[in-house]
Amino acid sequence: MQGQLDSMDKRAPLFVDEPDDTKTEILKATFDALAEHGYANLTIDRISQHFSKSEGLVFYHYDGKDDVLLDLLNYLLSRFREVGMPVSDDGDPETRLRSLFDQVIPEPDEQQIRDYETVLTELRMRAAQDEAFQECFNQSQDVFRETIREILQDGIESGDFREMDPELVTNFLVTLVSGRTFERVTTGISRPIQSELDNYIKYRLLADAEDNV
Amino acid sequence: MQGQLDSMDKRAPLFVDEPDDTKTEILKATFDALAEHGYANLTIDRISQHFSKSEGLVFYHYDGKDDVLLDLLNYLLSRFREVGMPVSDDGDPETRLRSLFDQVIPEPDEQQIRDYETVLTELRMRAAQDEAFQECFNQSQDVFRETIREILQDGIESGDFREMDPELVTNFLVTLVSGRTFERVTTGISRPIQSELDNYIKYRLLADAEDNV
């Protein structure tokens, strides 16, 4: 959904198996409880059921569920920043763009990825009601948008891509990534979009589209 | 998000101003309360604040908030069926496809449309946790998907569109519509995608793409 966030789980573990500090252990428990129950049915009690220590420790560290969820979101974003955007500086713009979206749109429908997408979508729905969440997500999305825009700009300058407005194409691509996660989480069905995205890149973005047909 | 649902508000009022039966009045109050507070913070008490009669009547008619929300979703879907898909049978496939998406993707950022999108997105997030909601949305989406697929099929047969897999292009288009609503609701920003969708249709779908450049 946030693009860079989407692909995290494939590339690096979100949590070490046995976190050695209490706060990280609480965040891991929160992640698991959120994947299981969703935001609306999440309680500190349910978080504690995934936590090996006393429920009192959760209350000691956090004021309530929104407080721990915002910390979880910030934790996920900082893990992302450590790992970096899944894009290389090598290769022509077409290769860089395709490889970015190969990373960002994982096709396999594994439980671990589904949990991760559910957690992100639940956290992101908080952004509809809570400005602190919205600000975090929007900052994170700006990084993803900037990465796409740079590749597009490079491709236009090198002549690999057609003349276009990189901002509008970025909107289109980011919307597609968001929609895919939202669709998977809410319909329970994983419908492939990767090959049609390839076609969009080939026919719409590449300057020599017709040569490739 | 559900395509056909998205455009409803523009084409027909969801509720008459002063519903004359209690249940519809409760559903209107629920709609307003859900737009204001979101699912997680919705209570029967908050629904009652938008309702001119006694709170007891809400409890008389419904078992709890999920019960009234599922009824609200079914009400919105039945209003949609009354109004029908925003597509005409006239015109060539390209015109029909463009006119469908002109309806489904409203650009204006009015409060009324934002409220409607928020309500739909909140209801749809219930589908991630509750099968009854998921079934309603998936049935509704099937109608939207079938409408798109038929237009694509007609266009392939008439030679207006390239050879393609209508199923994969439908996935792509539905994902885009879902993503747009989710983006608007969660980022608070309305980024245009209409002109790039036009480009997708022109370069990727139309058989004589290069003639149009």
Side-chain angles (χ1 to χ4, degrees):
Chain A
M1 60 196 296
Q2 288 304 104
Q4 71 280 46
L5 284 174
D6 270 302
S7 63
M8 268 295 293
D9 199 47
K10 264 203 332 191
R11 293 178 299 132
L14 298 170
F15 297 98
V16 294
D17 276 345
E18 311 250 324
D20 57 0
D21 67 296
T22 302
K23 277 194 106 170
T24 310
E25 205 181 325
I26 293 172
L27 295 182
K28 186 172 191 302
T30 305
F31 181 98
D32 293 338
L34 185 56
E36 183 175 345
H37 302 290
Y39 173 80
N41 296 317
L42 187 71
T43 57
I44 298 289
D45 189 52
R46 284 180 161 159
I47 292 172
S48 304
Q49 285 163 17
H50 290 269
F51 179 54
S52 66
K53 298 176 189 157
S54 140
E55 179 166 344
L57 274 172
V58 183
F59 285 110
Y60 174 80
H61 285 286
Y62 294 102
D63 286 338
K65 76 173 181 178
D66 276 334
D67 193 27
V68 58
L69 286 176
L70 192 56
D71 208 28
L72 172 62
L73 177 57
N74 278 310
Y75 172 87
L76 295 175
L77 294 175
S78 72
R79 284 291 294 133
F80 156 67
R81 278 189 297 268
E82 283 164 33
V83 176
M85 283 294 292
V87 66
S88 84
D89 290 336
D90 294 340
D92 57 84
E94 179 190 351
T95 308
R96 281 157 61 206
L97 191 66
R98 287 189 194 275
S99 114
L100 175 64
F101 282 93
D102 282 347
Q103 294 285 330
V104 158
I105 302 184
E107 292 288 355
D109 198 20
E110 294 158 13
Q111 186 61 45
Q112 199 187 6
I113 294 177
R114 274 206 300 277
D115 283 352
Y116 183 63
E117 291 178 333
T118 301
V119 164
L120 278 182
T121 308
E122 290 280 1
L123 288 173
R124 200 166 166 194
M125 270 309 285
R126 292 310 302 144
Q129 303 288 339
D130 186 320
E131 282 183 14
F133 285 82
Q134 189 170 86
E135 206 169 304
C136 279
F137 270 111
N138 287 4
Q139 278 178 13
S140 154
Q141 195 178 69
D142 285 344
V143 177
F144 183 48
R145 296 178 59 85
E146 184 55 31
T147 304
I148 298 173
R149 217 166 15 222
E150 268 180 29
I151 298 175
L152 295 173
Q153 198 63 57
D154 288 351
I156 296 166
E157 280 165 24
S158 67
D160 289 307
F161 293 159
R162 296 177 198 267
E163 284 298 324
M164 65 174 106
D165 182 336
E167 187 68 23
L168 295 178
V169 173
T170 299
N171 292 349
F172 191 81
L173 290 169
V174 169
T175 300
L176 196 70
V177 174
S178 285
R180 180 177 165 285
T181 308
F182 190 59
E183 282 282 306
R184 276 161 61 109
V185 168
T186 57
T187 63
I189 303 167
S190 184
R191 295 191 169 94
I193 60 160
Q194 184 70 60
S195 71
E196 191 51 25
L197 176 61
D198 285 340
N199 281 321
Y200 170 75
I201 293 173
K202 170 172 144 180
Y203 289 103
R204 159 58 181 148
L205 301 186
L206 293 187
D208 55 354
E210 292 306 305
D211 300 347
N212 295 331
V213 178
Chain B
M1 57 196 299
Q2 290 304 104
Q4 71 281 46
L5 285 173
D6 270 303
S7 62
M8 269 294 293
D9 198 48
K10 261 201 338 190
R11 295 177 298 135
L14 298 170
F15 297 99
V16 296
D17 276 346
E18 310 251 324
D20 57 1
D21 67 297
T22 303
K23 277 193 105 171
T24 311
E25 206 182 323
I26 293 172
L27 295 182
K28 187 173 190 300
T30 305
F31 181 98
D32 293 338
L34 186 55
E36 184 176 344
H37 301 290
Y39 173 81
N41 297 316
L42 188 71
T43 58
I44 298 290
D45 189 53
R46 283 181 161 159
I47 292 172
S48 303
Q49 286 165 16
H50 291 269
F51 180 55
S52 66
K53 298 175 190 156
S54 140
E55 179 166 345
L57 275 172
V58 183
F59 286 109
Y60 175 79
H61 285 285
Y62 294 101
D63 286 338
K65 77 173 181 178
D66 276 334
D67 193 27
V68 59
L69 286 177
L70 191 56
D71 208 29
L72 172 62
L73 177 57
N74 277 309
Y75 172 87
L76 295 175
L77 294 176
S78 73
R79 283 290 295 134
F80 157 66
R81 279 190 296 267
E82 283 165 34
V83 176
M85 282 294 293
V87 66
S88 86
D89 291 335
D90 293 341
D92 58 84
E94 178 190 351
T95 307
R96 282 158 60 207
L97 191 67
R98 287 188 194 276
S99 114
L100 175 63
F101 283 93
D102 282 347
Q103 293 286 328
V104 158
I105 301 183
E107 292 287 356
D109 198 21
E110 293 159 13
Q111 186 62 45
Q112 200 186 6
I113 294 177
R114 273 206 301 277
D115 283 352
Y116 183 64
E117 291 178 331
T118 301
V119 165
L120 278 182
T121 307
E122 290 280 1
L123 288 174
R124 200 166 167 196
M125 269 310 284
R126 292 309 302 144
Q129 303 288 339
D130 186 319
E131 283 183 13
F133 285 82
Q134 189 170 84
E135 206 170 303
C136 279
F137 270 110
N138 286 5
Q139 278 178 14
S140 154
Q141 195 178 69
D142 284 344
V143 177
F144 182 48
R145 295 178 59 85
E146 184 55 30
T147 304
I148 298 173
R149 215 165 18 220
E150 268 179 30
I151 298 175
L152 294 173
Q153 199 63 58
D154 288 351
I156 295 165
E157 281 165 21
S158 68
D160 289 308
F161 293 160
R162 296 178 197 267
E163 285 298 324
M164 65 175 108
D165 182 335
E167 187 68 23
L168 295 178
V169 173
T170 299
N171 292 349
F172 191 81
L173 290 168
V174 169
T175 300
L176 197 70
V177 174
S178 285
R180 181 177 163 286
T181 308
F182 190 59
E183 281 282 307
R184 275 162 62 110
V185 167
T186 56
T187 64
I189 303 167
S190 184
R191 295 192 170 94
I193 60 159
Q194 184 72 61
S195 71
E196 190 52 26
L197 177 60
D198 284 341
N199 281 320
Y200 170 75
I201 293 173
K202 170 173 146 180
Y203 290 103
R204 158 59 182 147
L205 301 186
L206 293 187
D208 56 354
E210 291 306 304
D211 300 349
N212 295 329
V213 178

